[in-house]
């Protein structure tokens, strides 16, 4: 694993200003925050820096204002949630650089925290403009990046700043990097990957990369339909990307060459309509799907076999639900396999790392989120990492 400076490398910070990139892109409804997970993830870093005596300036983006000041996208909308989680007062500063920030720094006492405006109000942010990065850096002494979820973007606040100030990985960034390294960097073998979700097209690069990295690739969800169809199985009205058959063949060939076993379901749960507990729901062999039926979940026999595969593995990386888990009973396979993985993780025989918006929701629904070794809430950055890509925000933190 590449080396990073962490907060362990910092002593007393009294008299210093820490510019801290965090993820405050919080889900909102009617002006209030509906989920403060991201704030809770950043809190240890913020509070630790404050406890070391730093004046802490938080940098974050919020929505997609595209380089304009958009009042409904002011990051100040999150300040109540931030204060509630931190249990401290936070000053809001409607700028990210320049004299207004400098004056605010003058008012702050050691250990105080300020939230700077949405970085994406400035065009230079997403362009990674060195001038903007310099202007932001001018008000700080150190830079801490605690937003792994934004690390796949080379922006001024996620990448540029790391080159201008002594740069450190925050606690949540550090935990994420350690977990990801344990899952795919230097994992204990055998390694299994579960890739599910709706479409093969959205995860082509993930599949292509994983077959060269893992010992078992378990394909579920809508994308299993595309693979089954590519193998000549009639999938009826299932969600299926028929045009990707040649791509699926290539992925299967690549898996073969690198000794990766690919697991496709051999029994499935089908229904004639996409609704909760429809009368038409039934379980059948993949070769028995009728023309008017849709595959909406992996079947119980396949799940049992997959649980047996996990028992032989030491590491699991999971992205994408095995079925249309939002609607009962099509959550069954996802819940069952998640519980098997959770039990093995709890026993200490499996290192399990999962990520993806719907995946996290599915694992929460299964009630196993706490038993997995690590759950990444990073979305796009997690997927890019699963694709084997170098993340610029992470790269910039590495010690040469
Ligand atoms: P993540 O957000 O974790 O990366 P995806 O967005 O790729 O996951 O996939 C989640 C979606 O895939 C869910 O909305 C789920 O309903 C859908 N899905 C899973 N299996 C099927 C299926 N067999 N048919 C249709 N949709 C499915
Ligand atoms: Mg999704």
């Amino acid at each position: 694993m590449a080396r990073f400076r962490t907060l362990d490398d910092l002593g007393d910070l009294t008299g210093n200003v820490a510019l801290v990139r965090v993820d405050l892109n919080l889900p909102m409804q009617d002006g209030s925050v509906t989920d403060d997970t991201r704030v809770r993830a950043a809190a240890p870093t913020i509070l630790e820096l404050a406890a070391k005596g730093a004046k802490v300036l938080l940098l974050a983006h919020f929505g997609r204002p595209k380089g304009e000041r958009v009042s409904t996208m002011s990051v100040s909308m999150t300040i109540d949630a931030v204060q509630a989680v931190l249990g401290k007062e936070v000053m809001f500063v409607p700028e990210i650089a320049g004299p207004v920030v400098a004056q605010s720094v003058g008012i702050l006492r050691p250990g105080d925290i300020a939230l700077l405006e949405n970085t994406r109000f400035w065009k230079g942010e997403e362009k990674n403009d060195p001038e903007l990065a310099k202007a932001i850096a001018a008000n700080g002494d150190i830079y801490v990046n605690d937003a792994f979820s934004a690390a796949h973007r080379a922006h001024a606040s996620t990448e540029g700043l790391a080159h201008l100030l002594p740069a450190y990985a925050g606690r949540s960034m550090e935990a994420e990097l350690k977990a990801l390294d344990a899952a795919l960097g230097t994992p204990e073998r055998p390694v299994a990957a579960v890739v599910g979700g709706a479409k093969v097209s959205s995860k082509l690069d993930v599949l292509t990369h994983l077959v060269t990295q893992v010992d078992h690739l378990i394909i579920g969800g809508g994308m299993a339909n595309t693979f089954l169809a590519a193998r000549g199985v009639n999938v009826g009205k299932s969600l299926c990307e028929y045009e990707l058959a040649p791509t699926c063949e290539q992925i299967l060939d690549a898996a073969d060459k690198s000794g990766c076993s690919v697991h496709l379901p051999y029994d499935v749960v089908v229904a004639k309509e996409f609704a909760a507990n429809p009368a038409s729901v039934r379980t059948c062999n993949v070769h028995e799907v009728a023309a008017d039926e849709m595959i909406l979940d992996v079947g119980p026999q396949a799940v049992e076999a997959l649980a047996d595969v996990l028992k032989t593995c030491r590491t699991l990386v999971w992205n994408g639900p095995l079925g249309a888990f939002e609607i009962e009973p099509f959550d069954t396979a996802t819940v069952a396999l998640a519980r098997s993985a959770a039990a093995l993780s709890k026993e200490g025989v499996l290192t399990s790392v999962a990520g993806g918006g719907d995946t996290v929701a599915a694992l929460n629904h299964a009630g196993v989120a706490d038993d997995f070794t690590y759950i990444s809430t990073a979305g796009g950055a997690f997927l890019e990492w699963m694709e084997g890509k170098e993340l610029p925000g992470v790269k910039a933190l590495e010690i040469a």
Side-chain angles (χ1 to χ4, degrees):
M1 183 174 167
R3 291 197 311 121
F4 304 89
R5 284 187 200 86
T6 71
L7 303 198
D8 291 332
D9 298 306
L10 289 167
D12 180 43
L13 292 172
T14 307
N16 288 281
V17 177
L19 285 161
V20 187
R21 182 56 160 95
V22 290
D23 183 353
L24 294 180
N25 199 22
L26 311 180
M28 310 271 299
Q29 210 163 22
D30 308 322
S32 51
V33 171
T34 54
D35 181 355
D36 64 3
T37 306
R38 288 170 166 167
V39 189
R40 283 186 282 114
T45 294
I46 299 168
L47 293 172
E48 189 173 340
L49 290 165
K52 285 179 192 283
K55 297 180 180 183
V56 181
L57 302 185
L58 303 178
L59 288 162
H61 76 274
F62 186 60
R64 295 175 184 270
K66 301 201 171 120
E68 314 273 346
R69 267 188 196 270
V70 180
S71 58
T72 54
M73 292 185 203
S74 171
V75 79
S76 63
M77 316 248 308
T78 69
I79 201 159
D80 289 346
V82 174
Q83 294 185 132
V85 170
L86 295 178
K88 283 188 150 216
E89 207 173 301
V90 176
M91 175 198 257
F92 178 67
V93 182
E95 299 288 338
I96 54 171
V100 173
V101 177
Q103 279 159 20
S104 306
V105 167
I107 296 167
L108 296 174
R109 292 154 306 170
D112 281 351
I113 301 159
L115 173 60
L116 309 189
E117 186 50 289
N118 188 346
T119 53
R120 291 193 185 168
F121 281 5
W122 284 267
K123 289 197 169 57
E125 162 72 339
E126 293 184 64
K127 290 186 189 138
N128 200 5
D129 175 8
E131 291 308 315
L132 178 65
K134 245 187 255 169
I136 301 170
N139 287 310
D141 299 300
I142 62 167
Y143 169 71
V144 178
N145 190 347
D146 210 26
F148 176 83
S149 56
H152 55 317
R153 314 263 188 232
H155 292 172
S157 71
T158 61
E159 203 273 348
L161 272 178
H163 300 294
L164 300 174
L165 294 170
Y168 300 83
R171 293 301 182 200
S172 126
M173 172 72 86
E174 190 188 345
E176 184 98 24
L177 295 175
K178 274 192 188 144
L180 299 191
D181 188 65
L184 279 185
T186 49
E188 280 189 59
R189 293 194 175 271
V191 183
V194 172
V195 182
K199 291 182 169 181
V200 170
S201 55
S202 66
K203 291 183 184 169
L204 270 184
D205 293 340
V206 170
L207 295 165
T208 307
H209 178 61
L210 285 181
V211 292
T212 67
Q213 304 292 313
V214 304
D215 305 290
H216 296 277
L217 176 63
I218 293 167
I219 302 178
M223 62 178 62
N225 305 338
T226 300
F227 275 87
L228 289 169
R231 292 210 154 163
V233 172
N234 189 337
V235 297
K237 276 204 311 178
S238 302
L239 175 66
C240 182
E241 296 170 289
Y242 291 99
E243 70 285 3
L244 287 179
T247 311
C248 291
E249 289 304 332
Q250 281 166 19
I251 292 170
L252 294 171
D253 280 351
D256 224 30
K257 286 206 184 75
S258 48
C260 166
S261 320
V262 176
H263 304 265
L264 287 168
Y266 44 78
D267 63 339
V268 286
V269 179
V270 298
K272 289 186 179 150
E273 60 266 85
F274 190 36
N277 302 303
S280 60
V281 64
R282 70 184 186 103
T283 298
C284 67
N285 183 280
V286 286
H287 296 288
E288 294 166 347
V289 179
D292 60 349
E293 287 178 323
M294 283 176 283
I295 301 174
L296 291 169
D297 200 10
V298 170
Q301 284 182 39
V303 171
E304 224 178 287
L306 295 175
D308 286 339
V309 169
L310 294 190
K311 280 183 198 146
T312 69
C313 292
R314 301 302 311 272
T315 303
L316 166 68
V317 47
W318 186 330
N319 169 256
L322 295 181
F325 76 100
E326 300 94 333
I327 298 182
E328 278 181 16
F330 311 111
D331 58 339
T332 309
T334 305
V335 168
L337 196 65
R339 291 195 176 147
S340 301
L344 293 166
S345 309
K346 228 174 155 178
E347 274 172 50
V349 292
L350 185 73
T351 297
S352 51
V353 174
D358 292 293
T359 309
V360 175
L363 296 180
N364 282 327
H365 168 72
V368 300
D370 291 340
D371 293 333
F372 267 60
T373 311
Y374 189 80
I375 295 198
S376 172
T377 52
F382 181 83
L383 273 182
E384 286 203 20
W385 165 79
M386 272 187 93
E387 291 166 357
K389 292 196 179 130
E390 189 164 78
L391 309 183
V394 171
K395 178 81 189 154
L397 290 177
E398 284 177 13
I399 304 170

